[in-house]
C-alpha cells in the first residue's frame, strides 16, 4: 500500500509540472528539468543497486549516499522515491530514508515559496 502510494505521489508531482506547463503557468524548462533529473536519479539508484548485488561476490565501487541525496535535493526526489520503492534499494536504512524525506520537504518548501512569491 505504502509502496504504490509513494510511486503515485512521485508520478503525480511530475505530472503536475507538465499540467502547469500546459496551462502556461510555468516555463517549459521546469517540467523538463524535473523529469530529467528524476530519470537520472532513477538510473543512479539502479546502478547502485546493481553494484550492491555485485558487491556480494567481489569488491566494487558504489555510488556514495551523499550523491544520491544531492540528486534528490536538486529535484530528483520523485525518481529517488520511485527507484527506492520499485527496486527495493535503500528502503531499509532509516537514516537514509530520513535524509531523503528532509530533501523532499526542503524541495517542496522551496517550490512553494517560488510558486507563491515569484510567479
Amino acid at each position: 500500500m505504502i509502496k504504490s502510494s509513494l510511486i503515485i505521489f512521485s508520478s503525480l508531482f511530475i505530472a503536475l509540472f507538465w499540467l502547469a506547463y500546459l496551462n502556461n503557468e510555468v516555463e517549459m524548462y521546469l517540467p523538463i528539468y524535473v523529469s530529467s533529473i528524476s530519470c537520472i536519479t532513477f538510473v543512479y539508484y539502479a546502478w547502485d543497486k546493481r553494484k550492491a548485488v555485485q558487491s556480494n561476490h567481489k569488491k566494487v565501487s558504489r555510488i556514495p549516499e551523499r550523491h544520491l541525496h544531492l540528486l534528490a535535493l536538486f529535484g530528483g526526489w520523485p525518481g529517488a522515491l520511485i527507484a527506492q520503492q520499485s527496486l527495493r534499494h535503500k528502503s531499509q536504512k532509516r537514516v537514509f530514508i530520513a535524509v531523503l524525506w528532509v530533501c523532499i520537504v526542503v524541495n517542496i518548501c522551496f517550490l512553494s515559496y517560488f510558486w507563491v512569491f515569484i510567479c
Side-chain angles (χ1 to χ4, degrees):
M1 178 69 177
I2 292 175
K3 178 180 175 178
S4 59
S5 298
L6 291 174
I7 292 173
I8 291 170
F9 172 66
S10 301
S11 301
L12 282 176
F13 182 81
I14 294 171
L16 286 175
F17 262 102
W18 283 102
L19 286 173
Y21 164 69
L22 291 175
N23 288 330
N24 295 321
E25 295 178 19
V26 297
E27 296 294 324
M28 186 176 198
Y29 67 87
L30 282 174
I32 289 175
Y33 174 78
V34 171
S35 300
S36 299
I37 195 78
S38 292
C39 287
I40 291 168
T41 304
F42 185 93
V43 169
Y44 266 67
Y45 269 76
W47 184 259
D48 192 50
K49 173 71 174 189
R50 181 173 183 255
K51 292 294 184 179
V53 171
Q54 288 178 349
S55 71
N56 291 336
H57 307 292
K58 59 183 177 180
K59 185 162 175 63
V60 294
S61 175
R62 302 267 312 270
I63 296 173
E65 288 184 355
R66 69 178 174 269
H67 291 178
L68 298 175
H69 287 311
L70 282 174
L71 284 168
L73 185 63
F74 290 133
W77 66 265
L81 273 182
I82 292 170
Q84 189 181 56
Q85 298 305 312
S86 63
L87 302 173
R88 292 178 37 183
H89 186 54
K90 304 283 187 185
S91 59
Q92 298 298 315
K93 295 181 78 175
R94 300 272 185 215
V95 173
F96 186 89
I97 293 169
V99 173
L100 177 61
W101 278 100
V102 167
C103 292
I104 292 169
V105 168
V106 166
N107 214 285
I108 290 175
C109 288
F110 174 76
L111 287 172
S112 299
Y113 174 81
F114 178 78
W115 196 284
V116 170
F117 294 110
I118 307 298
C119 293

